Short mmCIF file of all heavy atoms in Angstrom, two decimals:
data_model
loop_
_atom_site.label_atom_id
_atom_site.label_comp_id
_atom_site.label_asym_id
_atom_site.label_seq_id
_atom_site.Cartn_x
_atom_site.Cartn_y
_atom_site.Cartn_z
N SER A 1319 21.79 48.40 47.51
CA SER A 1319 22.64 47.80 46.47
C SER A 1319 22.72 48.74 45.28
O SER A 1319 21.71 49.30 44.83
CB SER A 1319 22.07 46.45 46.04
OG SER A 1319 22.82 45.90 44.98
N SER A 1320 23.92 48.91 44.76
CA SER A 1320 24.12 49.79 43.60
C SER A 1320 23.65 49.13 42.32
O SER A 1320 23.10 49.77 41.42
CB SER A 1320 25.60 50.17 43.47
OG SER A 1320 26.40 49.00 43.36
N SER A 1321 23.85 47.83 42.21
CA SER A 1321 23.41 47.08 41.03
C SER A 1321 23.24 45.61 41.38
O SER A 1321 24.02 45.06 42.15
CB SER A 1321 24.42 47.22 39.88
OG SER A 1321 25.65 46.62 40.24
N CYS A 1322 22.21 45.02 40.83
CA CYS A 1322 21.98 43.58 41.04
C CYS A 1322 21.07 43.08 39.93
O CYS A 1322 20.26 43.83 39.38
CB CYS A 1322 21.35 43.30 42.41
SG CYS A 1322 19.84 44.22 42.74
N SER A 1323 21.24 41.83 39.60
CA SER A 1323 20.43 41.24 38.54
C SER A 1323 20.12 39.79 38.86
O SER A 1323 20.78 39.16 39.69
CB SER A 1323 21.15 41.33 37.19
OG SER A 1323 22.35 40.55 37.21
N MET A 1324 19.11 39.26 38.19
CA MET A 1324 18.71 37.88 38.39
C MET A 1324 18.20 37.34 37.06
O MET A 1324 17.38 37.99 36.41
CB MET A 1324 17.61 37.81 39.47
CG MET A 1324 17.45 36.46 40.12
SD MET A 1324 16.30 36.51 41.54
CE MET A 1324 17.32 37.35 42.75
N TRP A 1325 18.71 36.18 36.63
CA TRP A 1325 18.37 35.59 35.33
C TRP A 1325 18.62 36.58 34.19
O TRP A 1325 17.86 36.67 33.23
CB TRP A 1325 16.92 35.10 35.33
CG TRP A 1325 16.72 34.02 36.33
CD1 TRP A 1325 17.30 32.78 36.34
CD2 TRP A 1325 15.92 34.09 37.51
NE1 TRP A 1325 16.91 32.07 37.46
CE2 TRP A 1325 16.06 32.85 38.19
CE3 TRP A 1325 15.10 35.07 38.07
CZ2 TRP A 1325 15.41 32.59 39.38
CZ3 TRP A 1325 14.44 34.79 39.26
CH2 TRP A 1325 14.61 33.57 39.90
N GLY A 1326 19.71 37.36 34.36
CA GLY A 1326 20.11 38.30 33.32
C GLY A 1326 19.28 39.56 33.26
O GLY A 1326 19.43 40.35 32.32
N ILE A 1327 18.43 39.77 34.25
CA ILE A 1327 17.54 40.94 34.26
C ILE A 1327 17.95 41.90 35.37
O ILE A 1327 17.90 41.52 36.55
CB ILE A 1327 16.07 40.52 34.46
CG1 ILE A 1327 15.64 39.57 33.34
CG2 ILE A 1327 15.16 41.75 34.52
CD1 ILE A 1327 14.30 38.91 33.59
N PRO A 1328 18.38 43.14 35.06
CA PRO A 1328 18.73 44.11 36.10
C PRO A 1328 17.48 44.44 36.92
O PRO A 1328 16.42 44.76 36.37
CB PRO A 1328 19.20 45.34 35.29
CG PRO A 1328 19.55 44.80 33.94
CD PRO A 1328 18.61 43.67 33.70
N LEU A 1329 17.60 44.36 38.23
CA LEU A 1329 16.44 44.57 39.10
C LEU A 1329 16.16 46.04 39.40
O LEU A 1329 15.11 46.37 39.93
CB LEU A 1329 16.64 43.81 40.42
CG LEU A 1329 16.80 42.29 40.30
CD1 LEU A 1329 16.94 41.66 41.67
CD2 LEU A 1329 15.62 41.67 39.55
N LEU A 1330 17.11 46.91 39.06
CA LEU A 1330 16.95 48.33 39.39
C LEU A 1330 16.79 49.21 38.15
O LEU A 1330 16.90 50.43 38.24
CB LEU A 1330 18.15 48.80 40.21
CG LEU A 1330 18.33 48.11 41.56
CD1 LEU A 1330 19.63 48.53 42.21
CD2 LEU A 1330 17.15 48.41 42.48
N GLY A 1331 16.52 48.61 37.02
CA GLY A 1331 16.43 49.40 35.80
C GLY A 1331 15.05 49.93 35.49
O GLY A 1331 14.85 50.60 34.48
N GLY A 1332 14.07 49.62 36.34
CA GLY A 1332 12.72 50.08 36.08
C GLY A 1332 12.03 49.32 34.96
O GLY A 1332 11.00 49.74 34.44
N ASP A 1333 12.60 48.18 34.58
CA ASP A 1333 12.06 47.37 33.49
C ASP A 1333 10.86 46.55 33.99
O ASP A 1333 10.81 46.16 35.14
CB ASP A 1333 13.16 46.44 32.97
CG ASP A 1333 12.71 45.68 31.73
OD1 ASP A 1333 12.89 46.20 30.62
OD2 ASP A 1333 12.18 44.57 31.90
N GLU A 1334 9.89 46.27 33.10
CA GLU A 1334 8.73 45.49 33.50
C GLU A 1334 9.11 44.05 33.85
O GLU A 1334 8.45 43.39 34.66
CB GLU A 1334 7.67 45.49 32.39
CG GLU A 1334 8.11 44.87 31.08
CD GLU A 1334 7.03 44.88 30.01
OE1 GLU A 1334 5.98 45.53 30.23
OE2 GLU A 1334 7.23 44.22 28.98
N LYS A 1335 10.22 43.57 33.25
CA LYS A 1335 10.69 42.24 33.61
C LYS A 1335 11.18 42.20 35.05
O LYS A 1335 10.99 41.21 35.77
CB LYS A 1335 11.81 41.80 32.66
CG LYS A 1335 11.35 41.52 31.24
CD LYS A 1335 12.46 40.90 30.40
CE LYS A 1335 11.95 40.48 29.04
NZ LYS A 1335 12.99 39.80 28.23
N ALA A 1336 11.83 43.29 35.48
CA ALA A 1336 12.28 43.38 36.87
C ALA A 1336 11.08 43.39 37.81
O ALA A 1336 11.12 42.79 38.89
CB ALA A 1336 13.12 44.64 37.06
N ASP A 1337 9.99 44.05 37.40
CA ASP A 1337 8.78 44.09 38.22
C ASP A 1337 8.23 42.69 38.43
O ASP A 1337 7.75 42.35 39.52
CB ASP A 1337 7.71 44.97 37.57
CG ASP A 1337 8.02 46.45 37.66
OD1 ASP A 1337 8.93 46.81 38.45
OD2 ASP A 1337 7.38 47.25 36.97
N VAL A 1338 8.29 41.85 37.39
CA VAL A 1338 7.79 40.48 37.51
C VAL A 1338 8.56 39.73 38.59
O VAL A 1338 7.97 39.05 39.45
CB VAL A 1338 7.90 39.73 36.16
CG1 VAL A 1338 7.60 38.24 36.34
CG2 VAL A 1338 6.95 40.33 35.14
N ILE A 1339 9.88 39.87 38.58
CA ILE A 1339 10.71 39.18 39.58
C ILE A 1339 10.45 39.72 40.98
O ILE A 1339 10.27 38.96 41.94
CB ILE A 1339 12.20 39.32 39.23
CG1 ILE A 1339 12.49 38.59 37.90
CG2 ILE A 1339 13.08 38.76 40.34
CD1 ILE A 1339 13.91 38.74 37.41
N LEU A 1340 10.41 41.03 41.12
CA LEU A 1340 10.18 41.64 42.43
C LEU A 1340 8.80 41.26 42.98
O LEU A 1340 8.65 41.02 44.19
CB LEU A 1340 10.31 43.15 42.34
CG LEU A 1340 11.71 43.68 41.98
CD1 LEU A 1340 11.69 45.21 41.87
CD2 LEU A 1340 12.75 43.24 43.01
N LEU A 1341 7.81 41.19 42.12
CA LEU A 1341 6.46 40.80 42.57
C LEU A 1341 6.42 39.36 43.04
O LEU A 1341 5.63 39.01 43.94
CB LEU A 1341 5.45 41.01 41.43
CG LEU A 1341 5.02 42.46 41.20
CD1 LEU A 1341 4.23 42.59 39.91
CD2 LEU A 1341 4.21 42.99 42.38
N LYS A 1342 7.26 38.51 42.48
CA LYS A 1342 7.33 37.12 42.95
C LYS A 1342 7.79 37.08 44.41
O LYS A 1342 7.23 36.33 45.23
CB LYS A 1342 8.27 36.30 42.07
CG LYS A 1342 7.71 35.98 40.69
CD LYS A 1342 8.68 35.14 39.88
CE LYS A 1342 8.11 34.80 38.50
NZ LYS A 1342 6.95 33.87 38.58
N PHE A 1343 8.79 37.86 44.74
CA PHE A 1343 9.28 37.89 46.12
C PHE A 1343 8.25 38.54 47.05
O PHE A 1343 8.09 38.11 48.20
CB PHE A 1343 10.62 38.62 46.19
CG PHE A 1343 11.77 37.79 45.69
CD1 PHE A 1343 12.12 37.79 44.34
CD2 PHE A 1343 12.50 37.00 46.56
CE1 PHE A 1343 13.17 37.01 43.88
CE2 PHE A 1343 13.56 36.21 46.12
CZ PHE A 1343 13.89 36.22 44.76
N LEU A 1344 7.57 39.55 46.57
CA LEU A 1344 6.55 40.21 47.39
C LEU A 1344 5.39 39.25 47.66
O LEU A 1344 4.90 39.18 48.80
CB LEU A 1344 6.04 41.46 46.67
CG LEU A 1344 6.95 42.69 46.75
CD1 LEU A 1344 6.50 43.75 45.75
CD2 LEU A 1344 6.95 43.28 48.17
N ARG A 1345 4.95 38.52 46.66
CA ARG A 1345 3.83 37.60 46.86
C ARG A 1345 4.21 36.44 47.79
O ARG A 1345 3.38 35.94 48.53
CB ARG A 1345 3.35 37.06 45.51
CG ARG A 1345 2.59 38.11 44.69
CD ARG A 1345 1.79 37.49 43.56
NE ARG A 1345 0.94 38.50 42.96
CZ ARG A 1345 1.22 39.17 41.85
NH1 ARG A 1345 2.36 38.92 41.21
NH2 ARG A 1345 0.39 40.06 41.37
N ALA A 1346 5.47 36.05 47.70
CA ALA A 1346 5.93 34.96 48.57
C ALA A 1346 5.93 35.36 50.03
O ALA A 1346 5.90 34.51 50.92
CB ALA A 1346 7.33 34.52 48.16
N ARG A 1347 5.95 36.65 50.29
CA ARG A 1347 5.96 37.16 51.67
C ARG A 1347 4.76 38.08 51.92
O ARG A 1347 4.81 38.98 52.75
CB ARG A 1347 7.26 37.92 51.94
CG ARG A 1347 8.51 37.03 51.98
CD ARG A 1347 8.43 36.05 53.14
NE ARG A 1347 9.59 35.17 53.21
CZ ARG A 1347 9.63 33.95 52.71
NH1 ARG A 1347 8.56 33.47 52.07
NH2 ARG A 1347 10.71 33.20 52.82
N ASP A 1348 3.65 37.79 51.23
CA ASP A 1348 2.39 38.52 51.44
C ASP A 1348 2.55 40.04 51.39
O ASP A 1348 1.93 40.77 52.16
CB ASP A 1348 1.76 38.12 52.78
CG ASP A 1348 1.39 36.65 52.81
OD1 ASP A 1348 0.92 36.14 51.77
OD2 ASP A 1348 1.56 36.01 53.87
N PHE A 1349 3.41 40.50 50.50
CA PHE A 1349 3.65 41.93 50.26
C PHE A 1349 4.18 42.67 51.50
O PHE A 1349 4.00 43.87 51.63
CB PHE A 1349 2.38 42.60 49.74
CG PHE A 1349 2.14 42.33 48.28
CD1 PHE A 1349 1.43 41.20 47.88
CD2 PHE A 1349 2.64 43.18 47.31
CE1 PHE A 1349 1.22 40.94 46.53
CE2 PHE A 1349 2.44 42.93 45.96
CZ PHE A 1349 1.72 41.80 45.57
N LYS A 1350 4.84 41.92 52.37
CA LYS A 1350 5.55 42.55 53.50
C LYS A 1350 6.93 42.94 52.99
O LYS A 1350 7.76 42.08 52.71
CB LYS A 1350 5.64 41.59 54.68
CG LYS A 1350 4.27 41.21 55.25
CD LYS A 1350 4.39 40.18 56.35
CE LYS A 1350 3.00 39.77 56.86
NZ LYS A 1350 3.09 38.69 57.88
N VAL A 1351 7.15 44.23 52.85
CA VAL A 1351 8.34 44.73 52.16
C VAL A 1351 9.64 44.29 52.82
O VAL A 1351 10.56 43.82 52.15
CB VAL A 1351 8.29 46.27 52.06
CG1 VAL A 1351 9.56 46.80 51.39
CG2 VAL A 1351 7.07 46.71 51.27
N SER A 1352 9.74 44.43 54.14
CA SER A 1352 10.98 44.07 54.84
C SER A 1352 11.30 42.59 54.67
O SER A 1352 12.45 42.22 54.40
CB SER A 1352 10.87 44.41 56.33
OG SER A 1352 10.75 45.80 56.51
N ASP A 1353 10.28 41.74 54.81
CA ASP A 1353 10.48 40.30 54.65
C ASP A 1353 10.85 39.95 53.21
O ASP A 1353 11.70 39.08 52.96
CB ASP A 1353 9.21 39.53 55.03
CG ASP A 1353 8.90 39.63 56.52
OD1 ASP A 1353 9.79 40.05 57.28
OD2 ASP A 1353 7.76 39.29 56.91
N SER A 1354 10.24 40.63 52.27
CA SER A 1354 10.53 40.39 50.85
C SER A 1354 11.95 40.80 50.50
O SER A 1354 12.65 40.10 49.76
CB SER A 1354 9.54 41.16 49.97
OG SER A 1354 8.21 40.79 50.26
N LEU A 1355 12.38 41.95 51.04
CA LEU A 1355 13.74 42.43 50.79
C LEU A 1355 14.76 41.46 51.38
O LEU A 1355 15.77 41.14 50.74
CB LEU A 1355 13.93 43.82 51.39
CG LEU A 1355 15.34 44.41 51.25
CD1 LEU A 1355 15.69 44.62 49.79
CD2 LEU A 1355 15.44 45.73 52.03
N HIS A 1356 14.49 40.98 52.59
CA HIS A 1356 15.40 40.03 53.24
C HIS A 1356 15.51 38.75 52.41
O HIS A 1356 16.62 38.23 52.20
CB HIS A 1356 14.88 39.71 54.64
CG HIS A 1356 15.73 38.73 55.38
ND1 HIS A 1356 17.03 39.01 55.77
CD2 HIS A 1356 15.48 37.46 55.81
CE1 HIS A 1356 17.54 37.98 56.40
NE2 HIS A 1356 16.63 37.00 56.42
N MET A 1357 14.37 38.27 51.91
CA MET A 1357 14.38 37.06 51.09
C MET A 1357 15.14 37.28 49.79
O MET A 1357 15.92 36.43 49.36
CB MET A 1357 12.94 36.64 50.79
CG MET A 1357 12.82 35.36 49.98
SD MET A 1357 11.10 34.99 49.54
CE MET A 1357 11.28 33.31 48.90
N LEU A 1358 14.92 38.42 49.18
CA LEU A 1358 15.58 38.75 47.92
C LEU A 1358 17.09 38.86 48.09
O LEU A 1358 17.87 38.32 47.28
CB LEU A 1358 15.01 40.06 47.37
CG LEU A 1358 15.63 40.60 46.08
CD1 LEU A 1358 15.53 39.59 44.95
CD2 LEU A 1358 14.94 41.91 45.68
N GLU A 1359 17.53 39.53 49.13
CA GLU A 1359 18.96 39.69 49.37
C GLU A 1359 19.63 38.37 49.67
O GLU A 1359 20.75 38.11 49.21
CB GLU A 1359 19.19 40.68 50.51
CG GLU A 1359 18.84 42.13 50.14
CD GLU A 1359 19.00 43.10 51.30
OE1 GLU A 1359 18.89 42.66 52.47
OE2 GLU A 1359 19.24 44.28 51.04
N LYS A 1360 18.96 37.51 50.42
CA LYS A 1360 19.50 36.18 50.70
C LYS A 1360 19.60 35.36 49.42
O LYS A 1360 20.57 34.63 49.21
CB LYS A 1360 18.61 35.45 51.72
CG LYS A 1360 18.79 35.90 53.15
CD LYS A 1360 18.03 35.01 54.12
CE LYS A 1360 18.59 33.61 54.15
NZ LYS A 1360 17.91 32.74 55.14
N CYS A 1361 18.61 35.50 48.55
CA CYS A 1361 18.62 34.77 47.28
C CYS A 1361 19.76 35.25 46.39
O CYS A 1361 20.46 34.43 45.78
CB CYS A 1361 17.28 34.96 46.57
SG CYS A 1361 17.19 34.15 44.96
N LEU A 1362 19.97 36.56 46.32
CA LEU A 1362 21.07 37.11 45.51
C LEU A 1362 22.42 36.61 46.02
O LEU A 1362 23.30 36.26 45.23
CB LEU A 1362 21.03 38.64 45.55
CG LEU A 1362 19.91 39.30 44.74
CD1 LEU A 1362 19.79 40.77 45.11
CD2 LEU A 1362 20.14 39.13 43.25
N SER A 1363 22.54 36.55 47.34
CA SER A 1363 23.77 36.06 47.96
C SER A 1363 23.98 34.58 47.65
O SER A 1363 25.09 34.14 47.31
CB SER A 1363 23.73 36.30 49.46
OG SER A 1363 24.87 35.77 50.09
N TRP A 1364 22.89 33.80 47.75
CA TRP A 1364 22.98 32.36 47.46
C TRP A 1364 23.36 32.12 46.01
O TRP A 1364 24.20 31.27 45.71
CB TRP A 1364 21.65 31.69 47.77
CG TRP A 1364 21.61 30.26 47.29
CD1 TRP A 1364 22.12 29.16 47.92
CD2 TRP A 1364 21.06 29.80 46.04
NE1 TRP A 1364 21.93 28.04 47.14
CE2 TRP A 1364 21.28 28.40 46.00
CE3 TRP A 1364 20.42 30.42 44.98
CZ2 TRP A 1364 20.86 27.62 44.92
CZ3 TRP A 1364 20.01 29.64 43.90
CH2 TRP A 1364 20.24 28.26 43.88
N ARG A 1365 22.75 32.84 45.08
CA ARG A 1365 23.03 32.64 43.66
C ARG A 1365 24.50 32.93 43.34
O ARG A 1365 25.12 32.23 42.53
CB ARG A 1365 22.12 33.53 42.81
CG ARG A 1365 20.65 33.13 42.83
CD ARG A 1365 19.84 33.93 41.84
NE ARG A 1365 20.20 33.61 40.46
CZ ARG A 1365 19.75 32.55 39.78
NH1 ARG A 1365 18.89 31.72 40.35
NH2 ARG A 1365 20.13 32.33 38.54
N LYS A 1366 25.05 33.92 44.01
CA LYS A 1366 26.46 34.26 43.79
C LYS A 1366 27.36 33.16 44.35
O LYS A 1366 28.32 32.72 43.69
CB LYS A 1366 26.78 35.60 44.44
CG LYS A 1366 28.20 36.07 44.20
CD LYS A 1366 28.43 37.45 44.81
CE LYS A 1366 29.86 37.93 44.55
NZ LYS A 1366 30.10 39.28 45.15
N GLU A 1367 27.06 32.72 45.57
CA GLU A 1367 27.87 31.69 46.22
C GLU A 1367 27.73 30.33 45.52
O GLU A 1367 28.70 29.60 45.34
CB GLU A 1367 27.46 31.56 47.68
CG GLU A 1367 28.25 30.53 48.46
CD GLU A 1367 27.77 30.41 49.90
OE1 GLU A 1367 27.04 31.31 50.36
OE2 GLU A 1367 28.12 29.42 50.56
N PHE A 1368 26.52 30.00 45.11
CA PHE A 1368 26.23 28.71 44.49
C PHE A 1368 26.68 28.67 43.04
O PHE A 1368 26.93 27.60 42.47
CB PHE A 1368 24.72 28.44 44.58
CG PHE A 1368 24.31 27.03 44.27
CD1 PHE A 1368 24.35 26.05 45.25
CD2 PHE A 1368 23.87 26.67 43.00
CE1 PHE A 1368 23.96 24.74 44.98
CE2 PHE A 1368 23.48 25.37 42.71
CZ PHE A 1368 23.53 24.41 43.71
N GLY A 1369 26.79 29.85 42.42
CA GLY A 1369 27.14 29.91 40.99
C GLY A 1369 25.96 29.58 40.11
O GLY A 1369 26.11 28.99 39.03
#
Side-chain angles (χ1 to χ4, degrees):
S1319 176
S1320 57
S1321 65
C1322 54
S1323 64
M1324 201 172 287
W1325 297 297
I1327 301 169
L1329 300 182
L1330 297 173
D1333 186 88
E1334 62 180 9
K1335 291 188 174 184
D1337 287 347
V1338 171
I1339 295 176
L1340 295 178
L1341 282 170
K1342 287 181 179 292
F1343 284 88
L1344 282 167
R1345 287 196 171 98
R1347 292 295 180 264
D1348 297 322
F1349 282 88
K1350 296 176 183 176
V1351 178
S1352 295
D1353 292 346
S1354 302
L1355 178 63
H1356 179 65
M1357 182 185 190
L1358 178 57
E1359 290 177 334
K1360 283 188 66 177
C1361 178
L1362 287 168
S1363 177
W1364 171 82
R1365 291 187 67 82
K1366 183 177 181 180
E1367 181 182 345
F1368 193 84

